[in-house]
Amino acid sequence: MYHKPVLLNECMELLGILPGGTYVDATFGGGGHSRGLLKKLETGRLIAFDQDEDAAQNAFEDPRFTFVNHNFRFMKNFLRLHKQVPVDGIMADLGISSHQIDIPARGFSTRSEGALDMRMDRRKPLTAHTIINTYTEEKLIETFRMYGEIINAKKLASKISEARRAKEIASTTELVAIAKTCAERGKENKYLAQVFQALRIEVNQEMENLEEFLSQCLNVLKSRGRLAVISYHSLEDKMVKNYFRTGNFEGELKKDFYGNVLSPWKMITRKAVVAGEKEIEENSRARSARLRVAEKI
Ligand SMILES: C[S@@+](CC[C@H](N)C(=O)[O-])C[C@H]1O[C@@H](n2cnc3c(N)ncnc32)[C@H](O)[C@@H]1O
């Protein structure tokens, strides 16, 4: 299976789908959420984005559906091109698909041998190989600290730098062997996940893309249109939460004369929606999923 959708029913319900509306799935992947959206749409339209060309194989033959093989940071331009602005709802299910993790050559998995790639969009030049082999030690420290929240980033960067002086670090297995020497005994898997997360975020410029995407949502949504975002790590979730709460990325609360919060968004979910035990049992990826939904005022 390409990918099993997470929080599918919750997402469909909270988007409040209008049967004749226009919707965007910013992260098509295996098309699980898109299929759910199309089921609810009668005369409506769905425009789906995915920057990975592999996702195109899942695109539907349906006159209501358009697939765009590009980064969602260009959503506004593509929606204009397809004359689909404004829209009634947008959803994004961030991160990578099971398909991407399952193919060793893509380099996303800590468990199998593959090239240090980690690009979702293979038309882009930056790979994990470039980062690991050419970034300065300072830049490596910053990447691991910022995107992996790794406490001993200095030690890790120094080990990488030492290893690459002897020989280029070419594979995920080589990187795993180096990183393991920096991990606390018994916590190797968690540590490796943090290292790989940091690299993946840097390779794919995930935080920049998310910020750009969220800002555009406000421009392309109708008033009372809804935005649903599922995130899988705290950096993304924090950005989404701050943005929904305050309308800016710093999380600065602006209030009017009467003390009312000035945000262009009304929160539909007061707290993040998380998966139930049954879903987590059937799909371990659901464990870290956090869904937040807001409505444009
Ligand atoms: C978690 S999967 C989505 C799974 C999908 N909801 C489903 O039900 O099959 C995330 C997908 O979003 C894509 N993606 C991540 N960031 C993206 C971006 N900035 N622009 C376009 N696609 C992106 C990935 O390539 C991946 O296929």
Side-chain angles (χ1 to χ4, degrees):
M1 195 187 193
Y2 195 98
H3 186 85
K4 194 173 165 63
V6 167
L7 292 169
L8 178 62
N9 294 334
E10 294 82 348
C11 197
M12 296 301 115
E13 223 164 85
L14 289 162
L15 271 171
I17 299 161
L18 309 168
T22 302
Y23 287 83
V24 174
D25 178 354
T27 51
F28 182 69
H33 287 96
S34 275
R35 204 167 293 116
L37 278 160
L38 275 180
K39 255 192 216 156
K40 300 229 171 206
L41 292 177
E42 288 162 16
T43 53
R45 293 245 5 201
L46 174 63
I47 299 96
F49 289 79
D50 202 300
Q51 60 179 336
D52 187 342
E53 63 183 358
D54 285 4
Q57 64 184 259
N58 306 314
F60 313 128
E61 291 287 339
D62 186 311
R64 301 167 301 166
F65 177 77
T66 306
F67 178 73
V68 181
N69 182 204
H70 282 284
N71 197 306
F72 57 51
R73 70 181 296 157
F74 306 118
M75 172 179 69
K76 191 166 83 183
N77 288 347
F78 279 103
L79 291 180
R80 282 206 184 123
L81 184 75
H82 290 283
K83 303 198 169 29
Q84 297 300 333
V85 185
V87 301
D88 297 276
I90 303 173
M91 66 151 296
D93 176 20
L94 301 170
I96 49 175
S97 63
S98 308
H99 167 82
Q100 287 163 326
I101 302 176
D102 290 345
I103 296 185
R106 305 286 305 257
F108 290 110
S109 170
T110 57
R111 293 203 176 98
S112 36
E113 167 126 40
L116 281 171
D117 191 321
M118 300 197 194
R119 286 172 299 172
M120 294 188 209
D121 182 347
R122 281 163 288 172
R123 295 163 291 195
K124 287 276 168 59
L126 183 64
T127 62
H129 185 278
T130 311
I131 295 172
I132 289 295
N133 288 288
T134 69
Y135 271 23
T136 61
E137 247 180 89
E138 286 68 35
K139 217 164 162 218
L140 283 176
I141 296 172
E142 192 188 308
T143 306
F144 290 132
R145 271 206 191 125
M146 202 155 63
Y147 296 146
E149 299 176 284
I150 292 173
I151 295 166
N152 66 350
K154 213 167 162 185
K155 181 173 176 192
L156 176 62
S158 152
K159 290 268 182 186
I160 289 172
S161 170
E162 192 188 313
R164 74 189 182 189
R165 268 199 297 275
K167 171 185 158 299
E168 185 185 73
I169 303 166
S171 69
T172 50
T173 333
E174 284 167 45
L175 177 63
V176 163
I178 298 164
K180 267 188 178 166
T181 65
C182 303
E184 219 179 293
R185 174 106 43 98
K187 298 206 172 145
E188 287 86 356
N189 287 344
K190 185 173 176 239
Y191 192 79
L192 292 176
Q194 285 174 287
V195 173
F196 274 55
Q197 173 184 299
L199 288 170
R200 203 197 79 200
I201 293 178
E202 175 73 3
V203 167
N204 297 288
Q205 305 282 295
E206 291 181 31
M207 300 316 290
E208 292 85 347
N209 291 335
L210 181 58
E211 187 170 325
E212 182 64 35
F213 164 75
L214 290 173
S215 318
Q216 290 180 17
C217 287
L218 204 55
N219 294 320
V220 299
L221 271 174
K222 289 179 189 167
S223 100
R224 307 211 54 200
R226 290 192 178 178
L227 169 60
V229 184
I230 305 174
S231 23
Y232 294 87
H233 58 77
S234 59
L235 297 170
E236 283 169 350
D237 186 52
K238 200 167 144 202
M239 182 183 276
V240 174
K241 183 179 160 188
N242 273 341
Y243 186 59
F244 281 174
R245 202 167 57 94
T246 64
N248 61 65
F249 296 102
E250 295 73 40
E252 259 173 48
L253 266 187
K254 296 195 179 104
K255 293 188 177 173
D256 68 10
F257 182 73
Y258 304 100
N260 302 312
V261 174
L262 290 170
S263 171
W265 299 101
K266 176 178 130 192
M267 295 268 215
I268 300 299
T269 49
R270 229 172 36 81
K271 283 170 84 180
V273 175
V274 295
E277 263 173 44
K278 188 167 176 284
E279 182 172 4
I280 294 172
E281 224 170 80
E282 289 167 2
N283 183 5
S284 60
R285 274 186 57 84
R287 187 179 302 278
S288 49
R290 299 176 75 78
L291 165 67
R292 295 187 189 271
V293 184
E295 187 175 281
K296 178 175 164 180
I297 293 172

